[in-house]
């Protein structure tokens, strides 16, 4: 910049500022879990951290962070804020447990059971001279199985939050 003024006096120069725009981050309500961003707004190019917490019996599947043009890539629970508003969300799915039912050390049924969903158990245990008292998580009587319902029609509902294998034993 070259000053061409003719006076020998004082010249004051002032900076001219333009505010950098901030864009909104909305935590989208999702089924079976919560999503939160570490801030409610950010400038384009700023890193935003997101956290997903699954509800009991569910697990995190993938991020669903979007803006008006589509899905935004999330890496290591962070995304780069675009020059637009963002919805921060995630997908969760119910845990699936493989439940194996035993009657006196003999497998009578094996079912994949989705968390909090009813399962029809058609192989109801029988044992001569004994009355069926329900299911246990141990082959010995005493430890009651975490089941909200098992009835004489063979409908069973498991509400355990695990995601894997479970063995249950007939209690006589």
């Amino acid at each position: 910049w070259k000053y061409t003024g003719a006076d020998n006096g004082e010249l004051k120069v002032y900076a001219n500022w333009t505010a950098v725009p901030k864009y909104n981050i909305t935590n989208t309500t999702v089924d079976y879990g919560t999503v939160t961003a570490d801030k409610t707004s950010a400038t384009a190019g700023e890193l935003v951290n997101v956290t997903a917490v699954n509800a009991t019996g569910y697990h995190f599947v993938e991020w669903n962070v979007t803006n008006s043009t589509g899905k935004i890539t999330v890496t290591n629970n962070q995304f780069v804020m675009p020059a637009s508003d963002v919805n921060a969300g995630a997908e969760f799915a119910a845990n699936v447990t493989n439940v194996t039912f035993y009657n006196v050390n003999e497998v009578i049924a094996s079912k994949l059971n989705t968390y909090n969903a009813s399962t029809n158990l058609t192989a109801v245990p029988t044992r001569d001279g004994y009355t069926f008292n329900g299911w246990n998580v141990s082959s010995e009587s005493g430890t009651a199985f975490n089941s909200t319902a098992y009835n004489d029609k063979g409908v069973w509902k498991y509400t355990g939050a695990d995601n894997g294998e479970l063995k249950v034993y007939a209690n006589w």
Side-chain angles (χ1 to χ4, degrees), residues 3 18 24 26 37 41 47 49-50 52 58 64-65 69 80 110-111 125 132 134 150 153 169:
Y3 177 66
T18 302
N24 295 319
T26 302
S41 64
L47 279 179
N49 296 300
V50 286
Y58 295 85
N64 191 15
V65 178
T69 61
V80 177
S110 185
K111 296 279 188 174
F132 177 65
Y150 177 84
K153 295 177 180 59
Y169 300 86

Side-chain angles (χ1 to χ4, degrees), residues 94-107:
N95 291 343
V96 176
T97 302
N98 183 30
V99 183
T100 305
F101 295 85
Y102 289 86
N103 181 18
V104 191
N105 296 323
E106 177 186 340
V107 174

Side-chain angles (χ1 to χ4, degrees), residues 25-172:
I25 303 165
T26 302
N27 296 321
T28 305
T29 302
V30 294
D31 292 332
Y32 314 119
T34 59
V35 175
T36 52
D38 65 344
K39 50 193 85 169
T40 58
S41 64
T43 58
E46 192 175 346
L47 279 179
V48 178
N49 296 300
V50 286
T51 304
V53 178
N54 56 282
T56 299
Y58 295 85
H59 61 275
F60 173 82
V61 175
E62 67 178 348
W63 290 109
N64 191 15
V65 178
T66 60
N67 66 1
S68 60
T69 61
K71 203 165 189 175
I72 296 168
T73 301
V74 178
T75 305
N76 295 326
N77 300 331
Q78 293 182 323
F79 67 90
V80 177
M81 187 69 178
S84 64
D85 292 342
V86 168
N87 292 314
E91 292 180 30
F92 298 91
N95 291 343
V96 176
T97 302
N98 183 30
V99 183
T100 305
F101 295 85
Y102 289 86
N103 181 18
V104 191
N105 296 323
E106 177 186 340
V107 174
I108 61 168
S110 185
K111 296 279 188 174
L112 286 178
N113 195 78
T114 301
Y115 173 76
N116 210 24
S118 293
T119 296
N120 289 324
L121 178 60
T122 55
V124 178
T126 59
R127 186 174 179 191
D128 288 341
Y130 291 87
T131 300
F132 177 65
N133 293 322
W135 297 103
N136 288 328
V137 294
S138 168
S139 59
E140 298 180 18
S141 297
T143 309
F145 176 53
N146 179 17
S147 171
T148 58
Y150 177 84
N151 61 34
D152 59 359
K153 295 177 180 59
V155 176
W156 170 80
K157 186 174 186 180
Y158 176 60
T159 56
D162 55 344
N163 193 21
E165 299 288 324
L166 177 68
K167 293 179 181 179
V168 293
Y169 300 86
N171 179 13
W172 302 103

